Amino acid sequence: MKLFGTSKVVNNELNIGGVGVQELREKFSTPLYVMDQTLLEENMAIFRDNFKSDKFKTEVIYASKAFLAVAMAQLVNRNGLSMDVVSGGELFTAIKAGFPMEKLYFHGNNKTYDELELAIDNNLGTIIVDNPLELHRLNKICADKNKKAKVLLRVNPGIDAHTHEYIQTSKFSSKFGESIFDEEIFNIIKEFLNSENVILEGFHCHVGSQIFDEKPFFGAIDVMFKFAKEVEEKTGFASKVINLGGGFGIYYSEEDNPIALQDFVTRMISDLEIKKEEYGLSVEQVNIEPGRSIVANSGTTIYTVGGVKDTFSGKKYIFVDGGMTDNIRPALYQAKYEAAILSKMNEEPDKEVTVAGKFCESGDVLIDKVKLSNPQVGDLVGITTTGAYCYSMSSNYNRFAKPAVVFVKDGKSKVIVKRETLEDLIRNDEM
Ligand code: LLP
């Protein structure tokens, strides 16, 4: 099992942020999401300190759908990043966290009237409009409230990025944005320009998620700049802002060949500077929206083994006290993870097992095949790289209470999201 950030082995036990996992279990119980705060901060710094240019402004926008809680929004702000939200719930969390509204971006292909109203009432920085209907809705809300909204139009640059089909977002058939290949787009842009209460600043695209190949990202720069040029020629509108989205691939298991972030974003900047010059664009600002690459490797989920079973077919299971409700990714995307017995870190992992959850679903398997060191009932199992899209996609299936989330740093641990209680589970039930 590959270790990241401050994770290390101390006396045969996994230690994260200077805290041993046994101590975390005793204090907070399992299953538990443990987040390495130092690594979170280091990852944010890599983007903040390297995605910058003296030819244009840059903004690194953390894609909060990967992982969001009030404390996370505050950490993002303290580390100088902007943030995007995709729902009224994420927006509300950002508001409650005191996140600066001018540094907030609002995404989504079907923002409701209420969500847009919440954004406008709170003077949210930039709304990324997905389609003309949304433009009409937003323009009306702004007119009624006598306000103006800064917006980007989400476009689909038609770039084919190789990743799981559920997380591809830029194919021609994607539900997101308007295609740049449809001539109609120029009429849509004119509508934006004629909308009195909406100020078009530029364009947004996102080519997909968990992408290892760098070509689609550089391809997107070229396609977006070419498009901005064409828009300028056909409508007279000069884009101020280009937002290239996120999607930078990270390490989950040996199958993955992650993007080397610092080097990658530095080369992205050089390419942007060259292309801006080449196309003669007056673009003033370029944004990116990393989510997973900031949080994924910072997270480790710890579970207690409650059962070991050898099936008639010879398959050996270990059962943990969580599963698909705290990590749906293996079931949904066939995502691969690494694991270890956390109190036997120096021992050879020699038993091949399937790590299964406790929920009523055969597909509730976290890892299909992994070698662990003689797993026994009561052992702690850790699965690494669970910082992104695990807590944020967690559910209450089987009326299971969601685990707590703990930040660890410099030998200290702090609960940032409390474990749900049984009472929480029936809070909204009429008695
Ligand atoms: N910007 C936009 C507009 C997005 O749609 C996304 C992700 C991001 C940024 C951040 O992408 P990242 O850097 O995190 O790859 N639930 C899936 C991932 C869905 C991603 C959706 N959009 C998973 O667990 O793999």
Side-chain angles (χ1 to χ4, degrees):
M1 181 173 85
K2 188 170 159 71
L3 300 183
F4 301 92
T6 65
S7 290
K8 58 182 181 197
V9 178
V10 179
N11 298 331
N12 211 11
E13 184 200 36
L14 182 68
N15 182 293
I16 313 170
V19 188
V21 286
Q22 183 55 35
E23 180 186 333
L24 291 169
R25 164 158 69 179
E26 278 157 23
K27 268 192 169 158
F28 309 112
S29 185
T30 60
L32 185 70
Y33 295 107
V34 183
M35 308 276 297
D36 179 348
Q37 188 181 330
T38 307
L39 182 55
L40 284 174
E41 290 171 331
E42 281 170 11
N43 288 340
M44 290 189 216
I46 289 177
F47 281 108
R48 187 192 60 224
D49 299 343
N50 295 286
F51 190 73
K52 57 180 187 192
S53 162
D54 49 19
K55 307 258 177 1
F56 45 83
K57 283 188 275 180
T58 54
E59 220 170 304
V60 177
I61 302 166
Y62 169 61
S64 75
K65 73 203 79 178
F67 171 70
L68 184 63
V70 166
M72 182 64 191
Q74 290 167 340
L75 190 72
V76 170
N77 185 33
R78 284 205 300 281
N79 284 275
L81 267 55
S82 301
M83 192 163 81
D84 82 35
V85 294
V86 291
S87 70
E90 288 181 357
L91 172 53
F92 184 71
T93 308
I95 294 169
K96 287 291 173 185
F99 200 88
M101 285 298 122
E102 68 281 5
K103 292 174 76 181
L104 216 55
Y105 287 74
F106 193 7
H107 271 293
N109 66 306
N110 185 19
K111 304 175 198 74
T112 64
Y113 189 95
D114 289 353
E115 287 174 324
L116 288 170
E117 200 175 33
L118 184 65
I120 296 303
D121 286 345
N122 284 281
N123 302 315
L124 181 143
T126 306
I127 297 179
I128 290 123
V129 176
D130 184 87
N131 56 65
L133 277 178
E134 190 171 279
L135 168 68
H136 304 156
R137 207 177 288 160
L138 180 62
N139 203 36
K140 167 144 191 351
I141 294 171
C142 289
D144 290 348
K145 293 178 184 285
N146 199 19
K147 289 211 177 187
K148 296 220 187 300
K150 276 200 291 184
V151 305
L152 300 181
L153 168 62
R154 174 147 186 183
V155 298
N156 180 347
I159 288 180
D160 191 13
H162 293 279
T163 186
H164 193 283
E165 71 171 309
Y166 292 3
I167 48 180
Q168 274 182 347
T169 39
S170 209
K171 290 206 312 194
F172 290 129
S173 55
S174 166
K175 72 171 180 172
F176 298 106
E178 295 291 341
S179 173
I180 60 168
F181 297 100
D182 190 338
E183 278 295 311
E184 180 56 21
I185 192 122
F186 300 103
N187 292 328
I188 297 175
I189 292 166
K190 284 180 195 148
E191 248 197 273
F192 273 79
L193 299 174
N194 293 330
S195 301
E196 246 177 60
N197 295 284
V198 163
I199 307 156
L200 182 65
E201 300 240 289
F203 301 99
H204 171 280
C205 75
H206 169 74
V207 294
S209 199
Q210 184 59 353
I211 295 166
F212 301 121
D213 181 6
E214 295 181 356
K215 276 194 240 85
F217 298 113
F218 288 98
I221 295 177
D222 197 51
V223 171
M224 290 298 279
F225 275 15
K226 227 179 250 165
F227 173 65
K229 187 78 200 162
E230 196 183 350
V231 171
E232 206 169 321
E233 285 160 6
K234 290 196 170 148
T235 68
F237 169 70
S239 302
K240 277 199 215 154
V241 180
I242 298 288
N243 184 328
L244 297 165
F248 318 127
I250 60 108
Y251 181 101
Y252 283 92
S253 73
E254 277 171 3
E255 287 178 7
D256 301 330
N257 185 17
I259 285 183
L261 290 177
Q262 182 165 341
D263 170 65
F264 171 69
V265 294
T266 311
R267 280 186 289 113
M268 235 178 144
I269 289 287
S270 320
D271 195 55
L272 283 162
E273 289 174 347
I274 293 168
K275 294 268 162 62
K276 177 173 155 19
E277 190 78 28
E278 203 175 296
Y279 289 111
L281 290 170
S282 51
V283 169
E284 291 165 17
Q285 181 168 331
V286 180
N287 303 339
I288 50 172
E289 295 174 333
R292 188 191 318 263
S293 48
I294 289 179
V295 284
N297 293 141
S298 310
T300 302
T301 310
I302 64 173
Y303 305 93
T304 302
V305 178
V308 178
K309 183 184 272 182
D310 289 295
T311 62
F312 184 57
S313 72
K315 191 167 178 142
K316 191 178 181 73
Y317 281 102
I318 63 162
F319 298 149
V320 295
D321 53 355
M324 64 188 292
T325 61
D326 59 75
N327 186 356
I328 190 67
R329 301 193 70 263
L332 194 56
Y333 313 118
Q334 300 79 47
K336 302 272 189 304
Y337 283 88
E338 294 185 342
I341 301 296
L342 302 182
S343 56
K344 301 175 189 167
M345 293 297 288
N346 294 329
E347 291 163 36
E348 187 59 26
D350 51 359
K351 291 251 169 10
E352 189 170 281
V353 299
T354 297
V355 181
K358 62 187 262 81
F359 303 104
C360 281
E361 181 104 20
S362 301
D364 178 26
V365 165
L366 291 171
I367 308 182
D368 190 34
K369 269 191 196 150
V370 62
K371 282 197 166 156
L372 297 179
S373 338
N374 190 24
Q376 301 292 323
V377 170
D379 279 348
L380 268 180
V381 179
I383 296 191
T384 43
T385 311
T386 57
Y389 304 108
C390 287
Y391 173 73
S392 65
M393 294 178 82
S394 62
S395 78
N396 290 118
Y397 180 51
N398 291 169
R399 288 237 149 170
F400 193 73
K402 291 185 187 178
V405 185
V406 169
F407 273 1
V408 287
K409 184 180 176 178
D410 297 337
K412 295 200 187 75
S413 53
K414 190 172 85 188
V415 173
I416 64 141
V417 182
K418 283 190 255 179
R419 183 178 301 282
E420 284 182 345
T421 62
L422 294 178
E423 286 298 328
D424 289 332
L425 294 172
I426 59 158
R427 172 156 302 151
N428 295 324
D429 294 12
E430 298 289 357
M431 293 294 181

